[in-house]
């Protein structure tokens, strides 16, 4: 199978790279996060949602040409067939199935299996070689039900009605997911956004994902923000931006927040364990479900998962691809 | 247990002291007895479970989790308790987690052989946050930044009763503190505790600021004493009952029956516990041998007899004299010693001096010739005030000793520092050989820590588990309070309170200290 796919995710037969970091002639992009989608490729194959996200972030001409491909629509190039399947990670996120001469390779990109109103639901694809992410590839990562985490946020809002609750969340995907979860829990008050969130929230709404009443936080007065939910990029949590808010409770929505030491280091008072990646039980479940005999592990804590696969009698290798965001901290 | 778990999480994550107090006060006000009493005991360290050691807990987990995956996880998380809480692979136990008081009862009464099964069941029944609290509780390793004082402040906050009043009775009350809460809620009078039964919080000193303070202080207003190198104790001479407490109120009488069985009189005394023959203090590590044991052996008592060098008096007979000025308390203390010859108590002498310069010279001489830790300076007119009141008592420590030592081994820290090599063993030369003389893990800035970590990683010769042996080429200027003989160290010396004063990136290792230079600092006994 190494003849089909190089260890830097290069599909030899059609000279295409999956999520390349350097500009390439032909790129297949799994999803719009910056460590997967880069500008400057000649030809980009991706889902329509991913293309829209790339164009919103990098401009309409961020690639030479775009080939939008819907989920489950096979694209045949010579002897190779490429099909995208939903990865459940963020809006438009895809797994890539590569078929050649009866062999099936799946590159998951980033993925999760829990239901999420803001992303097309994950579909399991059986394969011979699975290239899986391992952002949360340690058995200490067992994500709780996100509805419970939102419940803790709502309780804190009720307990501290005068304090703004500012939630650090990555602008693409996590912010919209948190908003959608709040709406599902019946929270219908306006939600206040940091400037970095606005364009992408608008894009989600345009593409059919309603987010309810949203406001621009810097245009709101202090009284209005007391007891309000404010969503900002994690980097804004500790800076002057959030210190202007009324007596803020610093929250953060991330899979890393299950480790208290991490939360404490970042000065997070209300950690919300909400992840857009599979946790350890889902990772190991997926490896079993897809019935692959070979597993390549990339993007995160590779050593533990490779060890686990080998214990299970599978052939497994770490890929050590450079350039993915260190530990997926952004997500 | 659910509420207690939430409280622990809030306490662990809230940076603000006031919010911690708020959360505690809310918990105490809204949680029924006896749960809140047990919570108070756990938070203040009055309660822990002796037979559930972290290693035992780890065994239970390793029966369920692959050891290699556990090791990788522990390495990442950095805290054993948290790793166990997060990695436990089972959920949905058969019964709800019990209330805190029932849980404590369960942990205390379960036979050793059944502990593994109990832990398995509890961890499986608990939600992840509850597991964390459970592990912290079971191992007694809370370490979430709650001091006893903070908990008491929350009680004061909750009730509107003055913190001092709570501290007054603190050491006479027992968990689960029913009488305390009842009083705090105005349902019963203040618990009545006789002075002979309880520990009285100590008056503590502040370090002197040589440059600022001496200009402002009139030497005539102050008395001076040696600062003794033992441990601070409170001796309560009651009617037919003698108690000995450490500075935190821990009853240590059982370890020093030679002292408690030989003293007489009535009152409450404040002094330094020392060991030595004929009331001559031996070095601290002799005392250490007795402090390490809960009870004393005949041999140890003969080898290192205990005594107390007394410097203050809180109660004279049954009379509370804490409001009197130091000079009057001192007179009463001298009178106490005049009334009968004690064999295990003596009076800490005062040092006559005319001005600060003279006292400075005396202090230096005392340090060089007798190994004294420094001098204490006490305001003659000051009452005995618990806590650390400003402007009353000062300690003037002797200057630290300095030695240039060579870094030999580095070990990873824990918790926040788990990803850095932050515990350093250093050595001095014996001929051409380096021998370890101590270990330090503070004294450097965060930026220096990162530099040191990098240096260790790039100069490792070999690793043994978490320890790396490094090239012998980096010199630390190590400050320490004193040097002592030691049979535990290969070098034969042990340093007290070593800390890294400076990193001598510039200094060649060959110019670091000879062991003989360190040995010369050991005071003769
Ligand atoms: Zn992603
Ligand atoms: Zn990613």
């Amino acid at each position: 199978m190494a003849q089909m796919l190089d260890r830097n995710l290069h599909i030899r037969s059609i000279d295409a790279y999956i999520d390349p970091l350097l500009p390439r002639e032909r790129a297949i992009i799994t999803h719009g996060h910056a460590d997967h989608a880069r500008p400057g490729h000649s030809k980009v194959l991706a889902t329509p949602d991913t293309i829209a996200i790339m164009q919103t972030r990098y401009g309409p001409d961020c690639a030479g040409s775009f080939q939008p491909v819907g989920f489950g629509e096979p694209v045949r190039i010579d002897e190779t067939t490429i099909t995208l399947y939903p990865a459940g990670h963020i809006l438009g996120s895809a797994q890539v199935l590569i078929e050649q001469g009866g062999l099936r390779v799946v590159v998951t990109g980033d993925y999760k299996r829990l239901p999420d109103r803001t992303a097309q639901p994950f579909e399991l694809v059986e394969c011979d070689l699975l290239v899986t992410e391992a952002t949360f590839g340690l058995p200490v990562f067992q994500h709780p039900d996100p509805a419970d985490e939102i419940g803790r946020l709502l309780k804190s809002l009720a307990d501290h009605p005068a304090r703004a609750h500012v939630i650090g969340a990555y602008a693409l995907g996590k912010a919209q997911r948190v908003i959608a979860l709040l709406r599902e829990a019946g929270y219908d008050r306006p939600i206040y956004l940091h400037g970095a969130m606005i364009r992408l929230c608008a894009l989600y709404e345009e593409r059919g994902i309603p987010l309810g009443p949203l406001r621009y936080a810097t245009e709101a007065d202090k009284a209005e923000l007391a007891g309000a939910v404010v969503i900002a990029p994690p980097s804004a949590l500790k800076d002057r931006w959030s210190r202007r808010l009324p007596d803020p409770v610093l929250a953060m929505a991330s899979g890393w927040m299950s480790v208290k030491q991490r939360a404490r280091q970042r000065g997070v008072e209300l950690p919300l364990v909400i992840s857009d990646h599979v946790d350890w039980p889902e990772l190991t479940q997926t490896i079993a479900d897809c019935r692959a005999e070979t597993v390549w592990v990339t993007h995160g804590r590779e050593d533990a998962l490779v060890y686990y696969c080998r214990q299970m009698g599978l052939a497994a290798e770490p890929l050590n691809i450079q350039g993915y965001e260190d530990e997926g901290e952004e997500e | 247990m659910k509420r207690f778990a939430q409280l622990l999480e809030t306490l662990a994550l809230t940076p603000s002291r006031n919010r911690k107090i708020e959360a505690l006060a809310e918990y105490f006000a809204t949680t029924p007895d006896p749960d809140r009493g047990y919570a108070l005991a756990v938070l203040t360290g009055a309660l822990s479970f002796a037979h559930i050691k972290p290693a035992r807990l780890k065994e239970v987990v390793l029966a369920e989790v692959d050891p290699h995956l556990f090791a990788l996880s522990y390495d990442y998380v950095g805290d054993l308790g948290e790793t166990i809480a997060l990695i436990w692979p089972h959920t949905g136990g058969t019964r709800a987690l019990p209330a805190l008081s029932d849980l404590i009862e369960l942990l205390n009464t379960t036979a050793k052989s059944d502990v593994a099964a109990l832990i398995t069941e509890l961890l499986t029944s608990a939600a992840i946050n509850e597991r964390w609290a459970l592990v912290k509780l079971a191992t007694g390793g809370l370490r979430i930044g709650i001091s006893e004082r903070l908990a008491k402040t929350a009680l004061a906050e909750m009730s509107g009763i003055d913190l001092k009043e709570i501290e007054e009775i603190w050491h006479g009350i027992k968990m689960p503190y029913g009488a305390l809460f009842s009083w705090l809620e105005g349902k019963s009078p203040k618990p009545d505790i006789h002075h002979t039964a309880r520990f009285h919080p100590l008056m503590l000193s502040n370090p002197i600021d040589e440059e600022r303070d001496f200009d402002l202080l009139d030497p005539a207003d102050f008395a001076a004493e040696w600062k003794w190198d033992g441990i601070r104790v409170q001796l309560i001479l009651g009617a037919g009952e003698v108690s000995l407490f450490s500075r935190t109120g821990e009853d240590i009488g059982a370890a020093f029956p030679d002292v408690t069985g030989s003293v007489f009189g009535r009152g409450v005394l404040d002094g330094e516990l020392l060991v030595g023959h004929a009331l001559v203090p031996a070095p601290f590590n002799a005392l250490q041998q007795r402090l390490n044991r809960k009870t004393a052996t005949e041999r140890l008592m003969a080898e290192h007899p205990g005594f107390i060098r007394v410097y203050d008096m809180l109660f004279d007979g049954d009379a509370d004299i804490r409001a009197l000025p130091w000079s009057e308390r001192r007179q009463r203390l001298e009178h106490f010693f005049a009334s009968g010859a004690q064999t295990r108590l003596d009076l800490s002498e005062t040092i006559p001096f005319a001005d600060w310069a003279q006292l400075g010279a005396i202090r230096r001489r005392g340090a060089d010739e007798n190994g004294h830790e420094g001098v204490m300076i006490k305001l003659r007119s000051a009452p005995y005030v618990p806590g650390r009141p400003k402007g009353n008592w000062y300690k003037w420590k002797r200057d630290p000793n300095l030695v240039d030592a060579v870094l030999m081994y580095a070990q990873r820290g824990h918790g926040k520092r788990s990803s850095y090599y932050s515990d350093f063993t250093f050595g001095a030369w014996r001929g051409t050989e380096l021998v370890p003389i101590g270990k330090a893990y503070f004294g450097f800035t965060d930026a220096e820590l990162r530099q040191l970590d990098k240096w260790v990683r790039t100069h490792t010769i070999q690793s043994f588990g978490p320890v790396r042996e490094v090239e012998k080429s980096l010199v630390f200027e190590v400050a320490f309070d004193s040097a002592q003989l030691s049979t535990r160290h290969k070098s034969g010396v042990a340093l007290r309170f070593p800390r890294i004063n400076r990193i001598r990136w510039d200094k060649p290792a060959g110019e670091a200290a000879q062991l003989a230079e360190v040995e010369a600092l050991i005071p003769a006994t």
Side-chain angles (χ1 to χ4, degrees), chain A residues 19 30-31 33-36 89 109-111 133 135 277 299 324-325 328 330-331:
Chain A
D19 294 347
T30 61
H31 69 286
H33 277 145
D35 54 331
H36 298 258
H89 172 59
D110 293 346
Y111 67 111
E133 65 136 320
T135 306
H277 296 265
H299 205 38
Y324 284 126
E325 209 57 46
E330 92 286 20
E331 293 154 41

Side-chain angles (χ1 to χ4, degrees), chain B residues 333-350:
Chain B
L333 184 59
E334 287 171 4
H335 185 257
F336 171 90
F337 277 101
S339 64
Q342 301 268 0
T343 54
R344 298 300 181 115
L345 297 180
D346 75 346
L347 185 62
S348 174
E349 59 180 305
T350 53

Side-chain angles (χ1 to χ4, degrees), chain A residues 137-151:
Chain A
L138 280 174
V140 280
F141 292 111
Q142 304 179 46
H143 302 324
D145 183 344
D148 290 346
E149 297 299 290
I150 291 296

Side-chain angles (χ1 to χ4, degrees), chain A residues 138-142 152 163 247 256 258-264 268-269 271 280 301 303-304 307 311, chain B residues 9 12-15 19 66 68-69 72-73 76-77 82-83 86-89 128-129 131-132 415-416:
Chain A
L138 280 174
V140 280
F141 292 111
Q142 304 179 46
R152 297 198 306 118
R163 302 180 67 189
D247 193 13
W256 302 111
S258 62
V259 181
K260 287 190 175 50
Q261 200 63 250
R262 280 250 178 172
R264 225 180 306 180
V268 171
E269 207 176 326
W280 178 263
R301 314 205 65 86
D303 42 1
Y307 169 85
Q311 294 293 102
Chain B
E9 172 157 292
L13 293 174
T14 303
R19 294 235 167 75
D66 181 285
H68 184 63
L69 291 175
L72 289 172
S73 297
Y76 173 79
V77 175
E82 188 165 14
T83 307
L86 290 171
I87 209 168
W88 185 253
I128 292 182
N129 272 348
R131 276 190 223 149
W132 181 71
K416 199 172 145 191

Side-chain angles (χ1 to χ4, degrees), chain B residues 323-502:
Chain B
L324 299 179
W326 175 88
S327 50
E328 280 183 48
R329 297 199 309 276
R330 176 81 193 180
Q331 267 178 17
R332 291 195 181 220
L333 184 59
E334 287 171 4
H335 185 257
F336 171 90
F337 277 101
S339 64
Q342 301 268 0
T343 54
R344 298 300 181 115
L345 297 180
D346 75 346
L347 185 62
S348 174
E349 59 180 305
T350 53
I351 308 167
F353 67 101
D355 53 44
W356 298 126
Q358 191 195 0
L359 184 60
I362 295 170
R363 157 181 158 269
R364 232 174 345 269
R365 209 167 345 104
D368 293 346
E369 293 170 11
N370 299 312
H372 286 311
E373 274 206 293
V375 292
M376 301 295 301
I377 304 169
K378 296 179 177 175
L379 184 63
R380 292 175 184 275
S381 60
Y384 194 95
V385 185
R388 209 181 287 277
K390 291 246 151 55
N392 288 274
W393 288 9
Y394 295 96
K395 58 181 162 216
W396 191 10
K397 280 207 176 189
R398 61 131 168 267
D399 300 326
N401 296 299
L402 296 175
V403 65
D404 284 331
V406 183
L407 175 60
M408 300 178 70
Y409 306 97
Q411 187 171 354
R412 288 208 205 190
H414 264 274
K416 199 172 145 191
R417 283 169 154 193
S418 64
S419 49
Y420 294 110
Y421 285 90
S422 59
D423 293 9
F424 303 106
T425 301
F426 43 82
W429 294 105
R430 180 159 61 194
T432 55
E433 182 202 16
L434 269 177
V435 285
I437 54 170
K439 200 169 169 179
Y441 44 90
F442 62 96
F444 33 80
T445 64
D446 284 355
E448 284 172 333
L449 173 60
R450 281 190 293 276
Q451 279 177 296
L452 286 171
D453 178 70
K454 196 172 160 202
W455 192 92
V456 167
R457 288 171 196 274
T458 48
H459 294 78
T460 300
I461 308 174
Q462 51 177 326
S463 305
F464 325 85
V467 180
R468 290 189 179 207
E469 180 178 4
V470 296
E471 234 171 66
K472 311 297 180 299
S473 57
L474 181 61
V475 176
F476 289 153
E477 182 181 275
V478 177
F480 56 98
D481 283 5
S482 62
Q484 294 168 344
L485 286 174
S486 162
T487 47
R488 278 186 306 165
H489 295 78
K490 186 181 170 194
S491 61
V493 299
L495 307 182
R496 281 201 81 195
F497 299 127
R499 59 264 180 197
I500 292 169
N501 206 41
R502 251 189 322 159

